[in-house]
Amino acid sequence: MKSETSNRIKINPGFWSGLSQLGIAPHDIVRQAQLPSTIVTDLVVSTSEYFAIWQAYSELMGDTAEAIIKLATVFETAHYPPAALATFHARDYRDALNRMARYKRLCPPEGFRISENDERCTIQLEWQNANQAGPPVLVGITLAYLLELGRRGTGQPLQALSVEFMHDMGDESVLAAYFGCSIRTGAACNQLTLHRRDLDRSFISYNEELLEVLTPILDQSLSDQEQNRSITDTVKWIMKRSFTRGRADIRYIASELGMSERTLQRRLTDEGVTFKQLLAEARHEQALLYLADPSLEIKEVAFLIGYEDQNSFYRAFRQWEEDTPSSWRVKQERWRGGLVTD
Protein backbone atom coordinates (compact mmCIF):
# COMPACT_ATOMS: atom_id res chain seq x y z
CA MET A 1 0.00 0.00 0.00
CA LYS A 2 1.39 3.41 -0.98
CA SER A 3 0.57 6.76 0.51
CA GLU A 4 -1.23 9.21 -1.73
CA THR A 5 1.75 11.57 -1.89
CA SER A 6 4.57 9.07 -2.43
CA ASN A 7 3.62 8.51 -6.07
CA ARG A 8 3.03 12.18 -6.89
CA ILE A 9 6.04 13.94 -8.40
CA LYS A 10 6.18 17.64 -9.16
CA ILE A 11 7.83 18.71 -12.39
CA ASN A 12 9.46 22.12 -12.21
CA PRO A 13 8.27 24.41 -15.06
CA GLY A 14 11.94 25.17 -15.70
CA PHE A 15 12.34 21.58 -16.93
CA TRP A 16 10.14 22.30 -19.94
CA SER A 17 11.96 25.61 -20.51
CA GLY A 18 15.27 23.77 -20.60
CA LEU A 19 13.93 21.33 -23.18
CA SER A 20 12.68 24.21 -25.31
CA GLN A 21 16.20 25.68 -25.29
CA LEU A 22 17.36 22.40 -26.83
CA GLY A 23 14.71 22.67 -29.54
CA ILE A 24 12.41 20.04 -28.06
CA ALA A 25 8.79 21.07 -27.53
CA PRO A 26 7.11 19.75 -24.36
CA HIS A 27 4.29 18.25 -26.39
CA ASP A 28 6.83 16.27 -28.44
CA ILE A 29 8.00 14.69 -25.20
CA VAL A 30 4.45 13.92 -24.12
CA ARG A 31 3.61 12.42 -27.49
CA GLN A 32 6.75 10.26 -27.48
CA ALA A 33 5.95 9.08 -23.95
CA GLN A 34 2.33 8.35 -24.96
CA LEU A 35 0.99 10.46 -22.10
CA PRO A 36 -1.94 12.93 -21.91
CA SER A 37 -1.05 16.41 -23.16
CA THR A 38 -2.46 17.92 -19.95
CA ILE A 39 0.64 16.72 -18.07
CA VAL A 40 2.58 19.73 -19.35
CA THR A 41 0.27 22.06 -17.42
CA ASP A 42 -0.65 19.78 -14.54
CA LEU A 43 3.00 19.62 -13.40
CA VAL A 44 2.27 16.63 -11.13
CA VAL A 45 2.86 13.11 -12.42
CA SER A 46 3.11 9.56 -11.16
CA THR A 47 6.46 7.78 -10.87
CA SER A 48 5.83 5.76 -14.03
CA GLU A 49 4.86 8.92 -15.95
CA TYR A 50 7.94 10.69 -14.64
CA PHE A 51 10.20 7.92 -15.86
CA ALA A 52 8.38 7.83 -19.20
CA ILE A 53 9.00 11.56 -19.70
CA TRP A 54 12.73 11.17 -19.11
CA GLN A 55 12.91 8.14 -21.38
CA ALA A 56 11.07 10.02 -24.11
CA TYR A 57 13.54 12.91 -23.83
CA SER A 58 16.44 10.48 -24.20
CA GLU A 59 14.87 8.84 -27.25
CA LEU A 60 14.22 12.18 -28.95
CA MET A 61 17.81 13.27 -28.34
CA GLY A 62 19.09 10.02 -29.83
CA ASP A 63 22.03 9.37 -27.49
CA THR A 64 21.76 9.08 -23.72
CA ALA A 65 25.11 10.75 -23.03
CA GLU A 66 24.34 13.70 -25.30
CA ALA A 67 20.92 14.08 -23.66
CA ILE A 68 22.51 14.17 -20.22
CA ILE A 69 25.21 16.72 -20.88
CA LYS A 70 23.18 19.06 -23.05
CA LEU A 71 20.40 19.45 -20.49
CA ALA A 72 22.81 19.65 -17.54
CA THR A 73 24.74 22.51 -19.12
CA VAL A 74 21.89 24.44 -20.75
CA PHE A 75 19.62 24.49 -17.71
CA GLU A 76 19.69 27.95 -16.14
CA THR A 77 20.19 28.15 -12.39
CA ALA A 78 17.25 30.53 -12.02
CA HIS A 79 14.91 27.81 -13.31
CA TYR A 80 15.66 25.44 -10.43
CA PRO A 81 12.96 24.94 -7.77
CA PRO A 82 13.53 26.56 -4.32
CA ALA A 83 14.94 23.36 -2.80
CA ALA A 84 17.64 23.18 -5.47
CA LEU A 85 18.15 26.93 -5.74
CA ALA A 86 19.03 27.14 -2.05
CA THR A 87 22.02 24.87 -2.62
CA PHE A 88 23.60 27.35 -5.03
CA HIS A 89 23.72 29.91 -2.24
CA ALA A 90 25.35 27.59 0.32
CA ARG A 91 28.57 28.48 2.11
CA ASP A 92 30.71 25.90 0.28
CA TYR A 93 30.45 22.77 -1.88
CA ARG A 94 30.10 20.45 1.14
CA ASP A 95 27.29 22.57 2.58
CA ALA A 96 25.59 22.60 -0.81
CA LEU A 97 25.75 18.81 -1.22
CA ASN A 98 24.45 18.19 2.29
CA ARG A 99 21.58 20.58 1.72
CA MET A 100 20.81 18.86 -1.57
CA ALA A 101 20.79 15.42 0.06
CA ARG A 102 18.35 16.69 2.69
CA TYR A 103 15.98 18.63 0.47
CA LYS A 104 16.02 16.08 -2.36
CA ARG A 105 13.49 14.19 -0.25
CA LEU A 106 11.01 16.86 -1.25
CA CYS A 107 11.40 15.75 -4.87
CA PRO A 108 11.15 11.95 -5.15
CA PRO A 109 11.89 9.43 -6.53
CA GLU A 110 15.67 9.89 -6.71
CA GLY A 111 17.86 10.64 -3.71
CA PHE A 112 21.46 10.02 -2.71
CA ARG A 113 23.84 9.23 0.11
CA ILE A 114 27.11 11.07 0.74
CA SER A 115 30.15 9.52 2.38
CA GLU A 116 33.61 10.99 2.92
CA ASN A 117 36.64 8.77 3.32
CA ASP A 118 40.32 9.69 3.04
CA GLU A 119 40.67 11.85 -0.07
CA ARG A 120 37.34 10.82 -1.59
CA CYS A 121 33.74 11.91 -1.36
CA THR A 122 31.35 9.32 -2.80
CA ILE A 123 27.76 10.13 -3.71
CA GLN A 124 25.59 7.09 -4.35
CA LEU A 125 22.25 7.41 -6.10
CA GLU A 126 19.19 5.79 -4.50
CA TRP A 127 15.53 5.50 -5.39
CA GLN A 128 13.24 6.64 -2.59
CA ASN A 129 9.75 5.44 -3.35
CA ALA A 130 9.91 3.80 -6.75
CA ASN A 131 9.54 0.07 -7.32
CA GLN A 132 12.08 0.25 -10.12
CA ALA A 133 15.13 2.26 -11.04
CA GLY A 134 14.74 5.26 -13.28
CA PRO A 135 15.95 5.36 -16.90
CA PRO A 136 19.69 5.85 -17.53
CA VAL A 137 19.22 9.45 -18.68
CA LEU A 138 17.72 10.40 -15.30
CA VAL A 139 20.58 8.68 -13.49
CA GLY A 140 23.11 10.57 -15.57
CA ILE A 141 21.36 13.92 -15.22
CA THR A 142 21.24 13.53 -11.44
CA LEU A 143 24.97 12.85 -11.11
CA ALA A 144 25.92 15.47 -13.70
CA TYR A 145 23.82 18.03 -11.84
CA LEU A 146 25.77 17.39 -8.62
CA LEU A 147 29.06 18.18 -10.37
CA GLU A 148 27.45 21.13 -12.16
CA LEU A 149 26.39 22.42 -8.75
CA GLY A 150 30.01 22.53 -7.64
CA ARG A 151 31.22 24.12 -10.86
CA ARG A 152 28.64 26.88 -10.87
CA GLY A 153 28.87 27.50 -7.14
CA THR A 154 32.66 27.70 -6.95
CA GLY A 155 33.23 29.14 -10.40
CA GLN A 156 35.91 26.49 -10.92
CA PRO A 157 36.10 23.74 -13.61
CA LEU A 158 35.92 20.92 -11.06
CA GLN A 159 36.44 17.36 -12.25
CA ALA A 160 35.20 14.06 -10.82
CA LEU A 161 37.53 11.39 -9.54
CA SER A 162 35.37 8.60 -10.99
CA VAL A 163 31.83 7.96 -12.22
CA GLU A 164 30.07 4.60 -12.21
CA PHE A 165 26.83 3.58 -13.87
CA MET A 166 24.88 0.35 -13.67
CA HIS A 167 23.72 0.45 -17.29
CA ASP A 168 24.89 1.52 -20.74
CA MET A 169 24.95 5.32 -21.03
CA GLY A 170 25.48 5.89 -24.73
CA ASP A 171 28.62 7.66 -25.98
CA GLU A 172 30.94 7.34 -22.97
CA SER A 173 33.48 9.71 -24.50
CA VAL A 174 30.95 12.53 -24.15
CA LEU A 175 30.47 11.74 -20.48
CA ALA A 176 34.21 11.37 -19.89
CA ALA A 177 34.82 14.80 -21.41
CA TYR A 178 32.19 16.38 -19.17
CA PHE A 179 33.08 14.67 -15.88
CA GLY A 180 36.82 14.84 -16.55
CA CYS A 181 37.45 11.18 -15.73
CA SER A 182 36.96 7.70 -17.12
CA ILE A 183 33.42 6.28 -17.10
CA ARG A 184 32.61 2.81 -15.84
CA THR A 185 29.40 1.05 -16.85
CA GLY A 186 28.04 -2.28 -15.64
CA ALA A 187 28.82 -1.25 -12.05
CA ALA A 188 26.96 -2.48 -8.97
CA CYS A 189 25.52 0.99 -8.31
CA ASN A 190 25.30 4.49 -9.75
CA GLN A 191 27.74 6.81 -8.05
CA LEU A 192 29.88 9.90 -8.42
CA THR A 193 33.22 10.17 -6.60
CA LEU A 194 34.68 13.62 -6.05
CA HIS A 195 38.01 14.89 -4.77
CA ARG A 196 37.33 15.54 -1.11
CA ARG A 197 39.45 18.69 -1.15
CA ASP A 198 36.94 20.29 -3.53
CA LEU A 199 34.24 20.14 -0.87
CA ASP A 200 36.04 22.87 1.08
CA ARG A 201 35.83 25.30 -1.82
CA SER A 202 33.74 28.37 -1.02
CA PHE A 203 30.76 29.29 -3.16
CA ILE A 204 31.00 32.63 -4.93
CA SER A 205 27.19 32.61 -4.95
CA TYR A 206 26.95 32.33 -1.13
CA ASN A 207 24.00 34.37 0.15
CA GLU A 208 23.45 34.18 3.89
CA GLU A 209 20.36 36.41 3.86
CA LEU A 210 18.61 34.32 1.22
CA LEU A 211 19.40 31.08 3.07
CA GLU A 212 17.93 32.54 6.25
CA VAL A 213 14.69 32.98 4.35
CA LEU A 214 14.66 29.72 2.38
CA THR A 215 15.92 27.27 5.01
CA PRO A 216 12.98 27.52 7.46
CA ILE A 217 10.50 27.25 4.59
CA LEU A 218 12.18 24.15 3.15
CA ASP A 219 12.59 22.56 6.60
CA GLN A 220 8.89 23.05 7.28
CA SER A 221 7.95 21.61 3.89
CA LEU A 222 10.11 18.57 4.57
CA SER A 223 8.60 18.13 8.02
CA ASP A 224 5.06 18.37 6.65
CA GLN A 225 5.82 15.85 3.91
CA GLU A 226 7.35 13.32 6.28
CA GLN A 227 4.42 13.62 8.69
CA ASN A 228 2.01 12.92 5.86
CA ARG A 229 4.01 9.98 4.59
CA SER A 230 2.49 6.63 5.50
CA ILE A 231 4.32 4.37 7.93
CA THR A 232 4.07 1.66 5.27
CA ASP A 233 6.20 3.62 2.78
CA THR A 234 8.71 4.54 5.44
CA VAL A 235 9.14 0.99 6.72
CA LYS A 236 9.65 -0.40 3.21
CA TRP A 237 12.19 2.30 2.41
CA ILE A 238 14.22 1.49 5.53
CA MET A 239 13.96 -2.24 4.79
CA LYS A 240 15.42 -1.82 1.33
CA ARG A 241 18.35 0.17 2.72
CA SER A 242 18.99 -2.46 5.39
CA PHE A 243 18.90 -5.75 3.47
CA THR A 244 22.61 -6.03 2.76
CA ARG A 245 23.37 -5.23 6.40
CA GLY A 246 21.19 -8.11 7.56
CA ARG A 247 19.22 -5.74 9.75
CA ALA A 248 15.73 -5.68 8.24
CA ASP A 249 14.09 -7.16 11.35
CA ILE A 250 11.29 -5.42 13.22
CA ARG A 251 13.48 -4.48 16.17
CA TYR A 252 15.93 -2.61 13.97
CA ILE A 253 13.23 -0.92 11.87
CA ALA A 254 11.38 0.21 15.01
CA SER A 255 14.58 1.66 16.47
CA GLU A 256 15.24 3.54 13.22
CA LEU A 257 11.78 5.07 13.52
CA GLY A 258 12.27 5.91 17.18
CA MET A 259 9.37 3.78 18.39
CA SER A 260 8.79 0.46 20.14
CA GLU A 261 8.11 -2.76 18.25
CA ARG A 262 4.58 -2.80 19.66
CA THR A 263 3.91 0.75 18.46
CA LEU A 264 5.23 -0.08 15.00
CA GLN A 265 3.03 -3.18 14.78
CA ARG A 266 0.01 -1.14 15.83
CA ARG A 267 0.73 1.57 13.26
CA LEU A 268 1.04 -1.01 10.51
CA THR A 269 -2.17 -2.71 11.60
CA ASP A 270 -3.91 0.67 11.37
CA GLU A 271 -2.82 0.82 7.72
CA GLY A 272 -4.01 -2.74 7.05
CA VAL A 273 -0.64 -4.46 6.64
CA THR A 274 1.74 -6.62 8.66
CA PHE A 275 5.49 -6.40 8.99
CA LYS A 276 5.84 -9.80 7.31
CA GLN A 277 3.80 -8.64 4.31
CA LEU A 278 5.90 -5.51 3.91
CA LEU A 279 9.12 -7.49 4.15
CA ALA A 280 7.96 -9.78 1.35
CA GLU A 281 6.85 -6.81 -0.79
CA ALA A 282 10.15 -4.99 -0.28
CA ARG A 283 12.15 -8.08 -1.19
CA HIS A 284 9.96 -8.74 -4.22
CA GLU A 285 10.32 -5.20 -5.52
CA GLN A 286 14.08 -5.16 -5.01
CA ALA A 287 14.46 -8.62 -6.55
CA LEU A 288 12.83 -7.48 -9.80
CA LEU A 289 15.03 -4.38 -9.82
CA TYR A 290 18.26 -6.33 -9.34
CA LEU A 291 17.32 -9.14 -11.74
CA ALA A 292 16.91 -6.53 -14.47
CA ASP A 293 20.66 -5.96 -14.18
CA PRO A 294 22.35 -8.83 -16.12
CA SER A 295 25.68 -8.16 -14.42
CA LEU A 296 24.37 -9.48 -11.11
CA GLU A 297 24.39 -13.22 -10.48
CA ILE A 298 21.33 -14.86 -8.94
CA LYS A 299 23.20 -15.56 -5.70
CA GLU A 300 24.16 -11.88 -5.51
CA VAL A 301 20.54 -10.86 -5.92
CA ALA A 302 19.56 -13.22 -3.10
CA PHE A 303 22.14 -11.61 -0.82
CA LEU A 304 21.17 -8.06 -1.79
CA ILE A 305 17.58 -8.64 -0.68
CA GLY A 306 18.50 -10.26 2.60
CA TYR A 307 18.49 -14.00 1.94
CA GLU A 308 21.34 -16.00 3.44
CA ASP A 309 20.89 -18.91 1.06
CA GLN A 310 19.88 -19.08 -2.58
CA ASN A 311 17.27 -21.82 -2.10
CA SER A 312 15.16 -19.63 0.19
CA PHE A 313 15.22 -16.92 -2.46
CA TYR A 314 14.13 -19.38 -5.16
CA ARG A 315 11.17 -20.56 -3.06
CA ALA A 316 10.07 -17.01 -2.32
CA PHE A 317 10.43 -15.93 -5.95
CA ARG A 318 8.26 -18.81 -7.13
CA GLN A 319 5.53 -17.59 -4.79
CA TRP A 320 5.84 -14.05 -6.11
CA GLU A 321 6.13 -14.66 -9.85
CA GLU A 322 5.24 -18.36 -10.32
CA ASP A 323 8.59 -18.65 -12.06
CA THR A 324 12.28 -19.05 -11.26
CA PRO A 325 14.58 -16.01 -11.10
CA SER A 326 16.62 -17.30 -14.06
CA SER A 327 13.58 -17.92 -16.22
CA TRP A 328 12.05 -14.56 -15.32
CA ARG A 329 15.28 -12.79 -16.24
CA VAL A 330 15.48 -14.54 -19.63
CA LYS A 331 11.88 -13.60 -20.45
CA GLN A 332 12.53 -9.97 -19.52
CA GLU A 333 15.65 -9.84 -21.67
CA ARG A 334 13.72 -11.27 -24.61
CA TRP A 335 10.95 -8.74 -24.07
CA ARG A 336 13.41 -5.82 -23.96
CA GLY A 337 15.16 -7.20 -27.02
CA GLY A 338 11.85 -7.24 -28.86
CA LEU A 339 11.29 -3.58 -27.99
CA VAL A 340 14.71 -2.63 -29.35
CA THR A 341 14.09 -4.64 -32.55
CA ASP A 342 10.70 -3.06 -33.05
Side-chain angles (χ1 to χ4, degrees), residues 251-266:
R251 177 181 298 180
Y252 174 75
I253 302 298
S255 67
E256 284 288 288
L257 293 169
M259 62 180 69
S260 67
E261 294 176 42
R262 180 174 297 181
T263 298
L264 175 56
Q265 289 174 328
R266 186 180 69 250

Side-chain angles (χ1 to χ4, degrees), residues 81-263:
L85 186 60
T87 64
F88 281 96
H89 300 291
R91 183 177 298 276
D92 52 38
Y93 196 9
R94 178 179 287 102
D95 182 28
L97 289 172
N98 287 329
R99 286 176 182 273
M100 179 56 66
R102 174 172 172 76
Y103 296 131
K104 197 68 187 71
R105 287 181 285 172
L106 290 169
C107 312
E110 71 272 23
F112 53 88
R113 277 188 292 173
I114 302 173
S115 60
E116 296 185 43
N117 185 35
D118 296 329
E119 300 303 315
R120 297 167 173 261
C121 171
T122 300
I123 307 173
Q124 185 174 329
L125 182 63
E126 298 178 326
W127 301 103
Q128 297 178 13
N129 300 317
N131 294 338
Q132 64 183 90
V137 67
L138 177 56
V139 173
I141 282 287
T142 302
L143 297 187
Y145 165 75
L146 295 176
L147 182 59
E148 190 71 17
L149 169 64
R151 288 174 173 173
R152 297 190 188 190
T154 64
Q156 299 294 320
L158 305 183
Q159 295 186 336
L161 191 58
S162 65
V163 184
E164 300 176 46
F165 295 108
M166 295 177 65
H167 304 292
D168 177 71
M169 302 298 290
D171 189 347
E172 294 180 20
S173 65
V174 173
L175 294 175
Y178 174 80
F179 285 101
C181 64
S182 60
I183 304 298
R184 179 191 173 196
T185 56
C189 61
N190 300 298
Q191 67 179 29
L192 167 71
T193 301
L194 302 170
H195 295 276
R196 193 178 183 185
R197 63 176 182 269
D198 288 336
L199 272 60
D200 296 319
R201 294 180 182 271
S202 299
F203 267 27
I204 58 177
S205 51
Y206 173 51
N207 188 322
E208 183 178 6
E209 292 76 15
L210 182 59
L211 288 178
E212 287 179 351
V213 174
L214 288 177
T215 299
I217 296 174
L218 294 172
D219 285 343
Q220 185 60 52
S221 298
L222 185 59
S223 177
D224 292 344
Q225 175 175 292
E226 292 182 341
Q227 287 178 7
N228 293 330
R229 189 180 185 185
S230 76
I231 192 68
T232 298
D233 280 337
T234 304
V235 167
K236 285 175 68 174
W237 184 65
I238 297 174
M239 282 176 173
K240 292 175 180 180
R241 291 170 60 96
S242 308
F243 283 146
T244 56
R245 306 172 195 169
R247 305 180 68 180
D249 58 278
I250 192 168
R251 177 181 298 180
Y252 174 75
I253 302 298
S255 67
E256 284 288 288
L257 293 169
M259 62 180 69
S260 67
E261 294 176 42
R262 180 174 297 181
T263 298

Side-chain angles (χ1 to χ4, degrees), residues 250-298:
I250 192 168
R251 177 181 298 180
Y252 174 75
I253 302 298
S255 67
E256 284 288 288
L257 293 169
M259 62 180 69
S260 67
E261 294 176 42
R262 180 174 297 181
T263 298
L264 175 56
Q265 289 174 328
R266 186 180 69 250
R267 293 280 302 276
L268 293 176
T269 299
D270 290 342
E271 294 191 9
V273 295
T274 66
F275 187 86
K276 185 177 180 180
Q277 288 174 331
L278 287 185
L279 183 59
E281 288 179 15
R283 280 175 163 165
H284 185 190
E285 292 168 4
Q286 289 298 94
L288 299 183
L289 173 61
Y290 288 132
L291 286 171
D293 180 0
S295 68
L296 293 175
E297 297 182 9
I298 301 298

